[in-house]
Amino acid sequence: MTLVTIETSTSAAAVQPFPSRVAPLARRDARTEPRLVRGIIITLALTFLTVFVVLPLALVFLEAFSKGVGFYLKALADPEALAAIWLTLVTAAISVSLNLVFGVAAAWAIAKFEFRGKTLLITLIDLPFSVSPVISGLVFVLLFGAQGFFGPWLMAHGIHVLFALPAIVLATAFVTFPFVARELIPLMQEQGSQEEEAAISLGASGWRTFLLVTLPNVKWGLLYGVLLCNARAMGEFGAVSVVSGHIRGETNTMPLLVEILYNEYQLVGAFAIASLLAFLALVTLIVKTILEGHLDEGQPASDD
Amino acid sequence: MKDSPQVTIEVRNIVKQFGAFRALDNVDLKVANGELLALLGPSGSGKTTLLRIIAGLDWPDAGEVSFDGENALARGAGERHVGFVFQHYALFRHMTVFENVAFGLRVQPRAVRKDEAAIRARVKELLDLVQLDWLAGRYPSQLSGGQRQRIALARALAIEPRILLLDEPFGALDAKVRKELRQWLRSLHEEINVTSIFVTHDQEEALEVANRVVVMDKGRIEQIGTPGDVYDNPATAFVHSFIGESIILPVDVSEGHVKLGSRVLNVDANGASGPSKLFVRRHDMHVGPVGEGAFDGTVRRVRSFGPIQRADIALNGDGDTLVEIDAPRDRNLTAGDIVSLQPRRYRIFAGRD
């Protein structure tokens, strides 16, 4: 029997001098779809992206430049526009710094220590994500408004919170709080505290351990969190709209000004400001992609 | 480095509780200067907790720790001058090997910190000591497990520690590397001669490397002794079963007679009474002609490896009990033989738990 089998297979090989020719049929992978299906799916995705993402973005720039570069620059040089840009930058700078400190502190506490109420803290960090921004704004009105909790006392002492920079910063910081903390917590939890323990047993102080060991280990995650936090801070509309009071040239941030100009049919002005925000989004996307590369490496080997 | 200061470590009545779990229960331990001591025990025995308390990484709920008579608990981990080697190395991942080793020197207070040239020389010296000077520019992720462990050791030695503590130093390495590093640690200790404690759950590692072995279980110290001591004269039933392989038979002792089931065995009670356990090392069970030993049995299966042959023997009159014994190769055993067994050395410990 065995002999016969060998005979057959030998003769079969002899008949087919190029057995590799038949291979493509057998090689069809179970996971690959027919070309047509692949083509349809890819076209669908690309069409959707073009219509809903690329086209609107392009239109923003087209509309902004519709009456020429001169008009565009003039719209941006308008005192109201400049004030809005300045206010947005200041608000983002302050609220991102605040969230940098709070986020690192919260992530540090959650990742490195065991304490009562830890689960509650983790849940609370997510609160700004789950609450509508309008509610977040209203909370500050309830706290600092004329009939609010601290309002009368603050007003008696001549401190203006609502309809001024402080409330805008507070509302922005509240809405963007989770970005830094959310990014850092899993990273720090995964890294554990052994490196910190090693540093401390080698004689480093708590502060130096933080600066030399903890911070470098999370720097890419931290930058990533700050980037997202910043993008949201500059683009925040709902919460800021409730607390700003829309005082022209004073308490309008860029997103608020875009709405106002648009409602007043100043399309070039509205889209000029909008183009800045869109540009910010594009820069954010590019930087985000670069940072994600570093995060995936895990080990910044190209460092120093 | 020959004249490193040698420190005596004393631990008294240490208690450490994690919630309802008592990790350490009144532990006393004295480690002589220049010793290489192993803390050996199963996981959860408290050995790592004890090590971390000595290092200052954990704090005891009660008790004292002193180095050369000086209260160590009054100092933080960074002020104890203890070199600690972590099980998973805990190398600083964003620093090169060189910077890892230099870390302890760079963070010293300005007043005592060495200048850059001295730091470089010291790091070079340490990398030579662990024979990895050629890796100075690499990052930890580019090293093998064994290399990481040696760098972790070099980093711990950089601060000229008074005491060296190693937590499961070879636990995460494969068997072959583990064996090499064992020898290497042994000779390194002879060279630097710093009082050292290492934690392990691997008895072979403890018995081979350490001067003395501390056997721990459930937060208590079961026995302290030389490797020979803990193997030949186990103090408790736990030590006997944990170290080396033993035949364990449930026996009853009354009026000096040791009974296995209904059969009276021809062995001394060793002062035990009531339900007890009889411990015999496999190679201490002598196989003889029927009727000449403490019990008779039927050989079920024999396999040979190396210098010994191992046989499963079912005890007669007690068909369920199967004992595994080691006999010399020249003792002719085949399945079906009826033989007698006589323990040459054995221990009886009261209690059956």
Side-chain angles (χ1 to χ4, degrees):
Chain A
M1 269 304 273
T2 330
L3 257 174
V4 175
T5 327
I6 291 172
E7 273 279 323
T8 335
S9 67
T10 323
S11 60
V15 172
Q16 276 187 349
F18 305 111
S20 60
R21 284 258 171 103
V22 289
L25 236 177
R27 224 193 280 147
R28 246 190 66 184
D29 195 323
R31 284 166 303 175
T32 47
E33 298 297 334
R35 246 188 211 171
L36 184 69
V37 178
R38 266 188 289 165
I40 291 175
I41 294 175
I42 292 171
T43 315
L44 212 68
L46 279 180
T47 314
F48 183 85
L49 266 178
T50 312
V51 173
F52 286 89
V53 181
V54 181
L55 203 62
L57 207 58
L59 281 179
V60 167
F61 287 98
L62 272 180
E63 194 65 40
F65 287 103
S66 61
K67 290 185 183 165
V69 181
F71 240 83
Y72 175 79
L73 290 177
K74 217 177 124 198
L76 286 186
D78 181 78
E80 261 184 51
L82 286 177
I85 294 169
W86 178 244
L87 180 65
T88 303
L89 290 177
V90 170
T91 304
I94 300 176
S95 51
V96 169
S97 319
L98 284 176
N99 282 335
L100 182 69
V101 175
F102 292 146
V104 170
W108 173 278
I110 285 167
K112 313 272 175 180
F113 302 107
E114 289 304 322
F115 54 91
R116 269 163 199 275
K118 189 163 152 175
T119 336
L120 185 71
L121 183 58
I122 295 175
T123 316
L124 280 180
I125 284 176
D126 279 339
L127 187 71
F129 275 172
S130 52
V131 167
S132 157
V134 178
I135 311 290
S136 310
L138 275 176
V139 169
F140 288 100
V141 174
L142 290 177
L143 278 179
F144 299 110
Q147 274 83 45
F149 205 75
F150 304 119
W153 184 88
L154 286 169
M155 245 176 261
H157 289 78
I159 303 169
H160 297 284
V161 175
L162 209 58
F163 310 134
L165 181 67
I168 294 174
V169 168
L170 284 173
T172 308
F174 177 83
V175 172
T176 57
F177 175 69
F179 285 100
V180 174
R182 268 281 138 210
E183 195 57 43
L184 289 186
I185 290 167
L187 200 62
M188 283 183 162
Q189 273 174 336
E190 183 205 312
Q191 290 178 348
S193 35
Q194 286 224 316
E195 284 183 46
E196 278 86 1
E197 284 183 346
I200 284 171
S201 89
L202 287 168
S205 63
W207 177 240
R208 296 204 72 173
T209 299
F210 178 75
L211 279 187
L212 298 175
V213 177
T214 312
L215 218 48
N217 277 350
V218 300
K219 65 181 170 198
W220 295 114
L222 189 63
L223 277 176
Y224 188 81
V226 163
L227 179 80
L228 295 185
C229 184
N230 181 61
R232 180 71 197 269
M234 291 192 173
E236 176 55 27
F237 180 84
V240 173
S241 175
V242 174
V243 298
S244 100
H246 305 278
I247 306 169
R248 301 198 84 135
E250 275 184 44
T251 65
N252 278 331
T253 59
M254 283 157 72
L256 298 188
L257 189 63
V258 170
E259 199 214 14
I260 290 172
L261 293 176
Y262 181 80
N263 286 342
E264 293 171 353
Y265 302 107
Q266 301 188 37
L267 292 189
V268 172
F271 280 105
I273 305 282
S275 74
L276 287 185
L277 287 170
F279 180 69
L280 169 79
L282 288 176
V283 171
T284 303
L285 266 182
I286 293 166
V287 180
K288 182 170 162 280
T289 312
I290 296 169
L291 286 180
E292 271 166 356
H294 279 288
L295 273 173
D296 287 343
E297 275 170 42
Q299 180 63 49
S302 58
D303 229 36
D304 307 333
Chain B
M1 277 200 281
K2 285 261 186 305
D3 47 280
S4 312
Q6 299 189 348
V7 177
T8 306
I9 307 169
E10 249 191 292
V11 168
R12 274 184 302 274
N13 302 324
I14 290 286
V15 175
K16 176 73 184 179
Q17 194 102 17
F18 291 113
F21 175 67
R22 185 158 273 219
L24 290 173
D25 191 3
N26 263 312
V27 168
D28 279 293
L29 179 64
K30 193 167 176 180
V31 189
N33 48 20
E35 213 175 358
L36 177 54
L37 186 95
L39 295 179
L40 173 66
S43 57
S45 59
K47 52 195 192 310
T48 294
T49 308
L50 180 58
L51 197 75
R52 289 174 57 88
I53 285 174
I54 295 171
L57 297 172
D58 265 329
W59 239 250
D61 297 326
E64 294 166 41
V65 178
S66 64
F67 299 164
D68 273 347
E70 182 189 273
N71 179 16
L73 293 180
R75 294 162 177 269
E79 300 160 332
R80 291 192 194 179
H81 295 283
V82 167
F84 198 97
V85 178
F86 292 83
Q87 182 181 0
H88 299 292
Y89 329 119
L91 293 176
F92 305 127
R93 68 193 86 189
H94 63 279
M95 295 182 200
T96 59
V97 162
F98 185 94
E99 286 305 320
N100 262 282
V101 178
F103 186 88
L105 302 171
R106 295 206 194 281
V107 299
Q108 276 178 340
R110 211 167 290 260
V112 292
R113 197 187 306 159
K114 295 182 160 101
D115 62 35
E116 184 62 27
I119 289 177
R120 293 197 159 269
R122 172 81 179 138
V123 173
K124 171 99 183 40
E125 184 189 351
L126 284 159
L127 289 177
D128 283 342
L129 180 73
V130 298
Q131 297 150 9
L132 290 177
D133 48 322
W134 51 287
L135 289 177
R138 302 268 186 96
Y139 283 88
S141 61
Q142 299 166 309
L143 308 184
S144 73
Q147 289 168 341
R148 287 182 208 182
Q149 191 56 280
R150 286 193 276 169
I151 295 302
L153 194 57
R155 181 179 68 177
L157 291 174
I159 57 168
E160 289 173 50
R162 304 160 74 196
I163 296 164
L164 186 60
L165 303 175
L166 306 103
D167 184 11
E168 298 269 6
F170 314 128
L173 303 171
D174 62 57
K176 190 166 169 288
V177 180
R178 196 151 63 202
K179 234 173 179 140
E180 284 168 16
L181 278 187
R182 245 186 240 166
Q183 301 291 344
W184 177 77
L185 176 66
R186 180 79 245 174
S187 52
L188 182 80
H189 180 258
E190 268 155 30
E191 195 174 331
I192 61 176
N193 224 349
V194 176
T195 308
S196 307
I197 304 178
F198 72 98
V199 157
T200 179
H201 63 267
D202 179 346
Q203 45 166 309
E204 210 184 310
E205 197 169 288
L207 299 182
E208 200 173 302
V209 178
N211 304 124
R212 280 201 306 157
V213 177
V214 176
V215 186
M216 296 185 69
D217 183 41
K218 295 183 184 127
R220 291 169 174 276
I221 290 180
E222 294 275 323
Q223 187 172 5
I224 305 177
T226 61
D229 244 7
V230 293
Y231 188 86
D232 291 331
N233 305 305
T236 65
F238 172 80
V239 177
H240 208 310
S241 57
F242 187 70
I243 294 182
E245 298 198 69
S246 306
I247 299 163
I248 305 170
L249 295 170
V251 293
D252 283 292
V253 184
S254 57
E255 294 161 5
H257 296 297
V258 180
K259 284 160 75 177
L260 175 69
S262 56
R263 188 189 166 124
V264 178
L265 302 180
N266 178 22
V267 296
D268 275 337
N270 274 4
S273 72
S276 306
K277 280 179 181 171
L278 173 71
F279 288 82
V280 188
R281 298 274 183 223
R282 275 192 198 142
H283 53 84
D284 282 335
M285 195 67 106
H286 178 72
V287 184
V290 184
E292 286 185 12
F295 13 70
D296 295 337
T298 311
V299 177
R300 285 279 168 81
R301 208 160 79 89
V302 183
R303 54 271 179 217
S304 307
F305 33 83
I308 57 136
Q309 54 184 337
R310 184 158 293 169
D312 295 341
I313 298 176
L315 297 188
N316 284 358
D318 192 351
D320 291 340
T321 314
L322 204 64
V323 298
E324 232 183 9
I325 61 115
D326 289 344
R329 282 289 277 273
D330 51 13
R331 180 75 181 76
N332 201 9
L333 286 176
T334 37
D337 286 357
I338 299 177
V339 294
S340 77
L341 296 174
Q342 176 63 42
R344 274 181 295 229
R345 291 165 58 97
Y346 58 89
R347 298 225 140 200
I348 295 179
F349 293 105
R352 277 269 180 83
D353 45 57

